[in-house]
């Protein structure tokens, strides 16, 4: 069984692969340090070539990957720190690909993550050689892909937007949306439908109908504080308070103060207009900022 080679010199019997200068084609550039690493067999659907590079794998013109086996790290803990130091400031995206091949992995991964945060390195953890090879292949395959490729694709037609909107309501699925559309019509018709109309639809019960009604009618903000004074006045006029009860009198006084403060409160002034572009373009320091500078 071949051992992971993460820095040791090759044996005399091992054939040396051809070493070429890193290119900018469709191949992953592999450091000669990794010539006997089993994950090389798991890098599929992409070309491979050996080259003298600071990282272990160059999966893009500005992306370099260091590989570390936790089993090797347990025997040689100083190795990865030497490699990170030798990496210097090469590559815009720097990755540490960790192969988790030990049972006690929480503490070493935690310490390695701290080191990578300080050195601007992204951590990826693979649980077997297949997964590690898949990560390397994917990075190379998506080297020239735009970042919005992984964004959610939302269709802009009416039916798709209707389906996306209504399925955000709890308990409502795509079949329910089609039932609402074919039975009631537009969003306005669905919003005006009564609970009885909704409950008569196939697949709709009392709970699901209430969810739909609440989505269109329930307020977004809690209005309990604004309705408290009027409710208190109605309760007081109906004779619900006992003047001889000091606890109720105190409650009434607190409610009256709350009502007074609500009615006499001044409207909040609008926030000043702030244009970040103007602030960035204006290089003249103000008297306040001049003192600080």
């Amino acid at each position: 069984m071949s051992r992971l080679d993460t820095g040791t010199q090759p044996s005399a019997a091992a054939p040396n692969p051809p070493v070429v200068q890193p290119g900018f084609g469709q191949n992953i550039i592999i450091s000669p340090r990794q010539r006997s690493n089993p994950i090389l067999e798991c890098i599929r659907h992409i070309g491979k070539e050996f080259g003298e590079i600071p990282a272990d794998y160059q999966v893009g013109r500005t992306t370099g990957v260091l590989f570390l086996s936790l089993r090797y790290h347990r025997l040689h803990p100083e190795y990865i720190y030497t490699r990170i130091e030798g990496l210097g400031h090469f590559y815009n995206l720097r990755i540490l690909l960790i192969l988790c091949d030990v049972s006690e992995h929480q503490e070493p991964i935690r310490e390695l993550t701290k080191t990578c945060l300080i050195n601007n390195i992204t951590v990826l953890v693979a649980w077997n050689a297949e997964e590690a090879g898949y990560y390397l292949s994917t990075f190379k395959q998506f080297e020239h892909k735009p970042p919005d490729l992984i964004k959610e694709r939302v269709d802009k037609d009416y039916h798709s937007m209707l389906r996306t909107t209504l399925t955000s309501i709890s308990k409502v699925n795509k079949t329910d949306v089609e039932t609402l559309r074919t039975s009631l019509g537009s969003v306005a018709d669905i919003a005006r439908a009564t609970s009885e109309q909704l409950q008569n639809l196939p697949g709709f019960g009392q709970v699901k109908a209430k969810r739909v009604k609440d989505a269109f009618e329930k307020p977004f903000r809690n209005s309990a504080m604004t309705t408290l004074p009027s409710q208190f006045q109605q309760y007081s006029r109906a004779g619900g308070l006992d003047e001889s009860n000091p606890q109720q009198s105190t409650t009434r006084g607190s409610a009256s103060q709350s009502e007074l403060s609500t009615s006499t409160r001044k409207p909040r002034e609008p926030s000043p207009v702030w244009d970040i572009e103007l602030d960035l373009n204006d290089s003249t320091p103000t008297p306040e900022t001049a003192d600080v500078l």
Side-chain angles (χ1 to χ4, degrees):
M1 180 177 179
S2 59
R3 179 179 58 83
L4 295 182
D5 188 355
T6 53
T8 60
Q9 296 295 329
S11 60
N16 293 329
V19 177
V20 299
Q21 293 297 324
F24 301 126
Q26 300 299 320
N27 295 341
I28 292 180
I29 311 300
I30 305 172
S31 172
R33 298 185 185 93
Q34 300 290 309
R35 60 169 54 92
S36 60
N37 195 328
I39 72 171
L40 296 183
E41 301 177 0
C42 303
I43 301 176
R44 303 184 179 94
H45 311 297
I46 202 74
K48 301 183 289 288
E49 62 181 86
F50 288 89
E52 296 291 345
I53 54 176
D56 291 326
Y57 302 91
Q58 183 171 304
V59 294
R61 297 184 62 178
T62 59
T63 305
V65 180
L66 291 176
F67 176 82
L68 179 65
S69 162
L70 288 185
R71 184 179 302 173
Y72 186 88
H73 178 65
R74 186 167 57 184
L75 299 175
H76 305 279
E78 75 287 348
Y79 164 76
I80 189 60
Y81 303 103
T82 304
R83 293 299 313 281
I84 292 176
E85 183 180 0
L87 195 62
H89 297 284
F90 287 98
Y91 306 110
N92 295 336
L93 177 58
R94 300 134 58 88
I95 300 171
L96 176 61
L97 179 58
I98 300 175
L99 178 62
C100 186
D101 49 2
V102 296
S103 57
E104 300 295 332
H105 58 270
Q106 291 86 353
E107 188 61 29
I109 290 180
R110 184 182 298 111
E111 294 300 324
L112 289 170
T113 301
K114 293 179 182 179
T115 302
C116 291
L117 286 174
I118 298 174
N119 292 277
N120 191 26
I121 298 176
T122 302
V123 177
L124 283 178
V125 180
W127 301 95
N128 50 57
E130 289 283 343
E131 184 179 358
Y134 177 77
Y135 286 151
L136 295 173
S137 302
T138 303
F139 268 106
K140 187 60 181 179
Q141 290 172 348
F142 284 79
E143 177 185 2
H144 302 291
K145 302 296 183 181
D148 56 355
L149 184 66
I150 60 176
K151 291 177 61 178
E152 180 184 6
R153 293 180 176 86
V154 180
D155 297 328
K156 299 301 182 181
D157 61 286
Y158 176 78
H159 296 305
S160 299
M161 296 179 66
L162 177 66
R163 182 171 57 252
T164 303
T165 302
L166 294 181
T167 51
S168 63
I169 303 174
S170 178
K171 307 296 183 182
V172 177
N173 53 38
K174 295 181 180 179
T175 304
D176 298 330
V177 174
E178 289 301 315
T179 302
L180 291 171
R181 184 181 65 84
T182 56
S183 302
L184 299 178
S186 64
V187 177
D189 296 330
I190 298 173
R192 286 192 295 262
T194 63
S195 298
E196 290 76 13
Q197 289 178 309
L198 294 174
Q199 293 182 32
N200 291 331
L201 298 177
F204 279 80
Q206 184 177 2
V207 176
K208 189 177 295 186
K210 185 178 184 301
R211 300 271 186 176
V212 175
K213 293 299 295 180
D214 288 345
F216 289 103
E217 297 179 357
K218 191 174 181 179
F220 291 100
R221 298 181 60 184
N222 187 3
S223 58
M225 294 302 296
T226 58
T227 59
L228 180 61
S230 60
Q231 293 177 352
F232 180 84
Q233 289 177 357
Q234 294 176 1
Y235 183 71
S236 178
R237 294 192 189 100
L241 290 179
D242 187 2
E243 297 292 343
S244 62
N245 191 336
Q247 184 176 2
Q248 290 187 354
S249 300
T250 304
T251 306
R252 181 178 62 178
S254 301
S256 301
Q257 292 178 1
S258 175
E259 181 181 0
L260 179 61
S261 61
T262 303
S263 60
T264 59
R265 186 180 302 166
K266 295 181 179 180
R268 181 178 180 272
E269 297 181 358
S271 301
V273 179
W274 180 61
D275 194 336
I276 187 172
E277 295 184 357
L278 295 179
D279 290 347
L280 293 176
N281 295 331
D282 188 7
S283 60
T284 304
T286 61
E288 293 79 1
T289 57
D291 296 338
V292 177
L293 298 175

